[in-house]
Each structure stands twice: as structure tokens, then as C-alpha cells.
Amino acid sequence: MTASLTALTPSNILTIISSLLMLLGGVAAFIIGMNLMGSNLERAAGKSMRRLMSKAAKNRFRGVATGAAVTAIVTSSSATTVMIVGFVNVGLMTLTQAASVIMGANIGTTVTAFLTAISTAGDELLIITALFAFSAFVGVLMAMISKKDKIKRIGAILQGLGLIFVGMRLMSMTMDNMLADENIKGAIEQVFIGIGRGADKLTWQIIVLFLLGAALTGLMQSSAAITAIVISLANANLITLPMGMFIILGTNVGTCVTALFSSLGTNVNARRTAVVHLLFNILGSIIFIIPLAFISGHLERFLNSLIPNISWQIAIFHMLFNVLTTAILIGFVNYLVKLACLIVPDKGSDGQRSDVLDRRLLKTPAIAVGQVRRQLLNMADKSFKNYKLSLDMLFSGDLSHKDEFDETEKSINAMHKHIISFLIELSLTEISEIDEKKVSSFYHVASDIERIGDYAENIVEYAVQTVEDKIDFSDHAKEEIREMDLHITNLYRYTCQVFAGSDLNYLPDVEREESATDAVNIAMQQSHLRRMTEGKCTAEAGAIYLQLAVNMERIGDHMNNIAHSVKEYGHGSAATVRKISTRK
């Protein structure tokens, strides 16, 4: 090895340095391509991903299938795992469901190894590699010429796909050009032979290769990139198949770093999710590393008999390892979850709430939009409960629940600010046209809900005033208030049905109840004037009564606004849509 190294000339050293820089440029193009293709596929398949995630709750096998499918779409197990941590943090997924999805993510990520194997194929498949690379140019033209979001997104997917092949071809060509010099080739071969000697039995070299794969993956936060480098080195005959196998085992552990970092600052179950990911990959590596140390030579000969190309051999091994690990450990999901719970104990309060929108969801805009809708419904529920509580205090004169009311009102205001802030960030991401309409309407919905809470606050003030001034309403006045409340309650129920399911079929019911609140408000004012004329109502009681009627009617107006916000993107029967479109 020393002789080969001393034989290197300054020109050789300069060639090695420039080649390494070009190699890293190829890695950069590969990673950019992966991210570009994955993120746009993810956005294009937003609705499909939401359906897939809902199926994950069925059983662990569907969870595995979901994880594999989603990861194949986003082309990154790290991205999927970060997504899952976010879902658990906001309560969209349980820890047990997340564990099975993570197992599937490890299977889905093997798709990238096969893409890499295609791109490093020999001259017989060079035309295929060239065509894939050309797709980047086609994608650029599509993005430049078309004004439609859908076409632009397809163009971005093609750009990403092309960059993957450009990056891999650049790495392969760089390695070939560098190794064309016999001095350089001899020196590098001696280095890799020193590292890989003994990689067919349990020696320290195997541990070094494993740790090298884990460390580099943790540093780059991309197992796909390290796998691509491994395939390039193997294709250049610098490393053997057994060496590549042990590095691949290490990448599976190193990829957990992203999820671990992502879980910082989350609730206890989200942190446990990241730990489950780590435990699964470590246990899988332990299960295979020892027997593989003794049979790697036999496995190499077996794969050689199936397919001579080492790039495909590594891709096949990568897939088999993850499939077998999942098959072995899927029956132990509950034990993995229990172990994660022991490692990350519940300390009672971790400062996180499930009603907080997690910014990790911004990586999946389609799901983030759905979560915003969920939080708006949660906020609406708080506002409506506060409205009901305010009426109870007005009727009973019992103000003992005022502190509870005030705390809920603070929570509503905080949720309003948080949702608006999240919507601003969400609007800056690349979202579909229909989701863009939803985000735009959600701003107004959040304000409408917050105003309902404010009107409830006004009603509490009237309750306090009636207690302090010993004001009481007549039985007839109370019946009118209860009638208005009945219509508002019905209006709230129909509004939630419209908003929760984007279902326009309930809009006529909303309009009927909202019109009823207008009519009752007018009737209350007329009744008040009659009672004043008859001397049955004091001026103080009348002032509060009239303000109460107006506040309740305005609550109905805001509920009506929420329901009508769905018209821009909702669905319903054609007759219903025509009916509501012709109304004022």
C-alpha cells in the first residue's frame, strides 16, 4: 500500500481532489433530484396519501403497506418518518400504528436503490439512462411554457427524476475517469482492500464498515445518497459485495438521526415514535450482521449466479434485508412500543398538546390542510361551548363558571393566532388549486369562529350585569331567548356537517336556520317594544335584552359565513349547488 501511495505524483493528487469534488457534485445533484421528485410526487398524491394514512389505522399489515407506499412516493424513509412523528405529535396516529408504518417505510426506501442500479447499468442500458436524464430537460420546458400548476408539477417530477440519473452518471463517470490512471487506481484499491479485508467473517473491519455507513448517513441525513455512493464504488470494483452489504446495514441505523432530531420538542409519544424507528433498525441490523458475517461469501456467489451486475445485487440485498427484518419483527410491534415507553417515560406533562398544529405537517400540505380543518372544528367547538355556558350563566345567575369561561376564551384566542400563523406558512408552500381555495377560506373561518367567542363574552358581561343590578327577564322573554338558542344550536349542527365534510347538501338547512334567527331577532325587538308600552319591562332589562338578541343573531351570521365558505371547494348534488348559487 505504501509503495502505491508514494508513486502518486502531484498531478495524480490534483486529479483525485478534482474527482472527489465532481463526485460530491454528483451526490448533490442526486439528492436535489430525490427531494424535487419526492416533494412534488407527494403534493400530486396528496389525497391518495390522506387515504393511505387513514388505512394505516386498520391493522399492522396495512400500516406496513401504507409506509411502503408513502415512502415509494416521497422516495425517502427519513421524510416519511419525520411525517409520522408529526402525525403522532398532533394525534393523527397512535404510537402502535406509527410503528408498523415505520417498518413499511424501510421497505419503500429500497425503490431508490433500484433507480440507482438502473442509472449505473452498463453500455447496454446507456440509452435508458440518457432518456431518463433527458426527462430533466423536458421537465424544465414544461415548467417554463405551461401556466397550469398540474403541468408545472409534472415538469418538476421529471426534473427530479432526470437529476437523479444525471447525478448518478456523473458519479460513475468521475470514478471511471479517476481510475483510468493506473497509479491512482492502485493506490485506491490498496486502501479499500485494507478496509475490506476480512469482510467475509466477523472481524473489526465489519464493525468499521457498519459504523461508516451509519455515520455518513447520519451526517448527510440521506440513506439513499450513501446507497448511491456504495453502488458507484461497487460498480467501479473498489468495494466488494460483502463490504457494500455491511455499509448498507449501517445506513439503516444512520437514517434514524433525522427522525430523532425531528422529535425534539414534541410530545412524549412523538419522541417514542423516533425511538421505535431506532430500535427497529438496530434490532434488524443485530439480527443480520452476525450470520451475514459468516455467509456473505456464499450469498455473494448465489447473487452472482442470479445476476452478474453488482449494482443490482446491492439493490436486491437492500430490499431483501428490509423485507425480512419487517417479516421477523412485525409480530413484536407491541413489545417495541413497550420498550420505547420504558426508554422515554411519561413524566406527566411534556408541554405539548394535540391541538397544536405541528409545522412538520407543512412537508405534506394536503394533510396539513386537513389538520387545519380539524383544528378549526376544535376551535368552533370551544366557542360554541362557551356560548352555551354564557347563556347558562345568564339564565341561572350563577357566575361560578366564569373563570372556566375566561380560560376557554384565552384558549380560543391563542388557537386563532396559531392557526393564522400556520396558514400563512402553509400558503407559502406548493399546494394544489383546491387546497389553495381551502387555505384562503380558512383565514375567514378562523376569524368567524373567534368572533363567535367574542359575542359569547358579551353575553357573559350581560349575565354579570343582571346579577349586579338584580335584573330578571319575564318568562315570555326567556322563552324567546330559548327559541333563538334552539335555532342557533341547529344552525351550529348543520354548519359543522357542511364544514367537516365539505358537503353542500346541508347548506339549505343552514340558510333556513339562519333566516329563522333573523326572524326571531325581529320578533324579540317587537315583543320588547310591546312590553315596554305595557309597562312590563324596565329600561335596564330592555337594554340588555335587545343587545342579547343582536349578539345571538350575529353569532348565527358567523356560523352562516363558515358554512358558505365551503362553496368554493365543496361537493353536493347539482340541484343543491344551483339552489344556493341563485340565493343572495
Side-chain angles (χ1 to χ4, degrees):
M1 177 167 59
T2 305
S4 297
L5 290 174
T6 55
L8 293 176
T9 65
S11 176
N12 295 148
I13 294 173
L14 185 62
T15 299
I16 292 173
I17 293 173
S18 62
S19 295
L20 287 174
L21 293 176
M22 289 294 289
L23 182 69
L24 292 175
V27 172
F30 179 86
I31 292 175
I32 292 171
M34 292 286 292
N35 291 338
L36 190 60
M37 184 176 75
S39 61
N40 282 279
L41 277 169
E42 178 184 326
R43 293 183 180 103
K47 289 184 178 179
S48 299
M49 287 181 63
R50 273 184 290 199
R51 286 195 293 269
L52 282 171
M53 286 300 178
S54 67
K55 289 180 180 179
K58 303 293 183 182
N59 56 59
R60 65 186 67 181
F61 297 103
R62 288 195 178 187
V64 170
T66 297
V70 170
T71 305
I73 291 172
V74 302
T75 63
S76 171
S77 61
S78 295
T80 302
T81 309
V82 169
M83 204 188 304
I84 294 166
V85 169
F87 293 162
V88 174
N89 193 43
V90 297
L92 285 175
M93 190 176 286
T94 67
L95 181 57
T96 304
Q97 291 165 2
S100 60
V101 177
I102 285 171
M103 291 181 175
N106 278 24
I107 296 174
T109 194
T110 61
V111 169
T112 59
F114 284 99
L115 279 176
T116 304
I118 293 172
S119 64
T120 57
D123 294 337
E124 68 278 4
L125 292 179
L126 182 59
I127 185 64
I128 296 177
T129 303
L131 287 173
F132 276 119
F134 176 69
S135 68
F137 177 71
V138 175
V140 170
L141 290 180
M142 290 173 70
M144 289 174 60
I145 295 171
S146 179
K147 294 181 179 180
K148 294 182 177 179
D149 288 340
K150 187 176 181 179
I151 302 299
K152 286 180 177 291
R153 185 163 291 118
I154 294 172
I157 292 169
L158 290 176
Q159 290 173 46
L161 181 63
L163 282 174
I164 289 173
F165 283 84
V166 168
M168 280 306 306
R169 196 63 188 173
L170 181 58
M171 284 188 270
S172 180
M173 290 175 64
T174 299
M175 295 297 299
D176 290 341
N177 292 336
M178 181 172 63
L179 296 177
D181 188 299
E182 289 299 325
N183 286 341
I184 296 175
K185 182 177 181 181
I188 293 177
E189 282 180 344
Q190 287 298 318
V191 171
F192 279 102
I193 288 171
I195 296 174
R197 185 182 292 116
D200 57 349
K201 56 183 181 293
L202 193 59
T203 58
W204 65 268
Q205 284 95 338
I206 286 178
I207 306 302
V208 169
L209 291 168
F210 175 82
L211 294 177
L212 182 65
L216 291 176
T217 303
L219 184 65
M220 296 186 69
Q221 295 194 22
S222 173
S223 61
I226 303 304
T227 301
I229 293 173
V230 167
I231 288 177
S232 293
L233 292 173
N235 212 44
N237 295 318
L238 290 177
I239 63 172
T240 63
L241 179 59
M243 291 172 67
M245 290 177 182
F246 294 114
I247 296 174
I248 293 296
L249 289 181
T251 64
N252 271 43
V253 175
T255 196
C256 299
V257 170
T258 307
L260 289 170
F261 278 133
S262 174
S263 70
L264 297 176
T266 60
N267 65 30
V268 67
N269 275 337
R271 295 198 299 274
R272 287 169 176 170
T273 302
V275 171
V276 166
H277 186 213
L278 180 64
L279 288 172
F280 172 71
N281 285 346
I282 288 177
L283 286 172
S285 297
I286 292 173
I287 290 170
F288 280 92
I289 196 168
I290 296 176
L292 190 62
F294 295 101
I295 68 166
S296 59
H298 300 292
L299 183 59
E300 182 179 19
R301 287 189 290 275
F302 172 72
L303 290 175
N304 275 327
S305 66
L306 289 179
I307 183 168
N309 189 296
I310 194 169
S311 301
W312 285 95
Q313 291 172 6
I314 291 174
I316 291 170
F317 167 76
H318 192 206
M319 181 189 68
L320 287 175
F321 163 66
N322 283 294
V323 169
L324 289 173
T325 301
T326 300
I328 293 169
L329 294 180
I330 192 170
F332 299 92
V333 166
N334 292 333
Y335 295 101
L336 284 174
V337 169
K338 287 179 181 178
L339 184 56
C341 291
L342 289 174
I343 295 172
V344 184
D346 190 350
K347 296 180 180 179
S349 175
D350 52 22
Q352 295 292 322
R353 304 193 314 270
S354 62
D355 62 347
V356 174
L357 288 166
D358 195 316
R359 281 174 170 75
R360 294 167 187 80
L361 297 177
L362 293 171
K363 294 180 179 291
T364 50
I367 293 175
V369 169
Q371 183 64 3
V372 173
R373 187 205 303 272
R374 175 180 172 179
Q375 296 311 315
L376 285 169
L377 286 166
N378 186 15
M379 181 180 169
D381 185 57
K382 289 177 181 287
S383 292
F384 184 70
K385 284 180 178 177
N386 249 16
Y387 155 72
K388 283 292 193 178
L389 187 58
S390 69
L391 270 190
D392 287 343
M393 285 189 275
L394 182 72
F395 277 123
S396 67
D398 182 4
L399 303 179
S400 61
H401 295 289
K402 189 174 183 303
D403 289 342
E404 177 189 342
F405 178 95
D406 291 339
E407 284 301 313
T408 304
E409 174 62 16
K410 287 179 183 178
S411 173
I412 293 167
N413 291 335
M415 288 183 74
H416 177 247
K417 291 179 182 178
H418 185 64
I419 288 171
I420 293 298
S421 174
F422 188 86
L423 284 172
I424 291 171
E425 292 187 58
L426 183 56
S427 65
L428 297 176
T429 63
E430 293 184 31
I431 53 179
S432 65
E433 185 177 348
I434 191 167
D435 281 342
E436 190 175 349
K437 289 179 180 178
K438 290 178 183 178
V439 169
S440 178
S441 73
F442 286 171
Y443 284 104
H444 303 292
V445 171
S447 296
D448 281 314
I449 295 171
E450 195 266 341
R451 290 297 295 148
I452 291 172
D454 290 342
Y455 285 122
E457 199 170 16
N458 292 344
I459 296 173
V460 169
E461 291 176 6
Y462 305 150
V464 172
Q465 190 175 346
T466 58
V467 171
E468 290 177 348
D469 297 342
K470 297 181 179 179
I471 296 171
D472 193 20
F473 297 121
S474 66
D475 291 339
H476 187 67
K478 289 179 180 179
E479 283 302 317
E480 291 173 336
I481 295 171
R482 288 191 177 96
E483 183 182 357
M484 174 72 92
D485 175 52
L486 176 63
H487 289 299
I488 289 175
T489 301
N490 290 335
L491 178 56
Y492 176 71
R493 186 175 74 253
Y494 289 128
T495 296
C496 287
Q497 287 174 317
V498 172
F499 186 72
S502 301
D503 191 349
L504 298 177
N505 289 309
Y506 289 97
L507 261 182
D509 298 305
V510 170
E511 293 186 345
R512 184 186 67 249
E513 293 298 336
E514 195 275 331
S515 296
T517 61
D518 293 340
V520 174
N521 179 36
I522 294 171
M524 289 174 73
Q525 294 181 40
Q526 292 172 345
S527 297
H528 165 68
L529 290 174
R530 186 178 65 254
R531 285 192 293 271
M532 286 288 290
T533 303
E534 296 172 354
K536 297 179 180 179
C537 181
T538 64
E540 294 81 3
I544 292 176
Y545 183 77
L546 287 178
Q547 292 178 74
L548 173 64
V550 171
N551 276 262
M552 294 178 75
E553 189 270 335
R554 286 178 179 170
I555 286 174
D557 288 342
H558 286 291
M559 290 180 181
N560 186 52
N561 291 342
I562 294 168
H564 276 77
S565 71
V566 178
K567 286 170 67 175
E568 289 296 318
Y569 59 85
H571 57 83
S573 68
T576 300
V577 176
R578 282 196 301 272
K579 184 178 179 181
I580 61 177
S581 65
T582 57
R583 296 193 180 188
K584 63 179 181 180

